[in-house]
Amino acid sequence: MSNIQLDIEWTEAASRKIEKLMPRNANKDALLALPPVECLPVEGDVLFLGPAGKQQPFIVAERQYHHDGDADWTIVLILDVPHETH
């Protein structure tokens, strides 16, 4: 059985945008819900993230797979913002 870990990385523009939506010190319980690993988005897909009623679009700029040894894997989603908001 594989052990798969999911990581999210942000471009600089996406990092600034999500920080405005969900400041780190505002609510320690604020989480981003993502679909299960078997339904993960691919490059070019748009995810709407943020608190209820304030979701904003983020584009999956890249999806990477890293083999961590044996049956261990890490999937990295690199999120960006749509170009018109840069």
Side-chain angles (χ1 to χ4, degrees), residues 72-86:
D72 296 333
W73 289 84
T74 300
I75 300 173
V76 179
L77 296 179
I78 300 174
L79 302 183
D80 198 1
V81 294
H83 292 291
E84 62 270 3
T85 62
H86 272 229

Side-chain angles (χ1 to χ4, degrees), residues 2 24 28 38 45-46 51 62 67 74-75 83-84:
S2 294
R24 293 177 198 203
K28 293 182 181 182
E38 60 271 7
D45 283 353
V46 177
E62 189 175 336
H67 185 236
T74 300
I75 300 173
H83 292 291
E84 62 270 3

Side-chain angles (χ1 to χ4, degrees), residues 7-59:
D7 285 340
I8 296 178
E9 295 182 6
W10 310 84
T11 63
E12 187 175 325
S15 182
R16 287 192 306 266
K17 186 174 182 178
I18 199 68
E19 180 67 27
K20 287 179 186 175
L21 286 171
M22 302 175 70
R24 293 177 198 203
N25 57 0
N27 182 356
K28 293 182 181 182
D29 295 328
L31 299 174
L32 296 175
L34 293 172
V37 171
E38 60 271 7
C39 301
L40 281 180
V42 296
E43 291 178 17
D45 283 353
V46 177
L47 303 175
F48 287 85
L49 304 173
K54 296 182 181 180
Q55 292 91 356
Q56 295 293 310
F58 291 86
I59 296 173

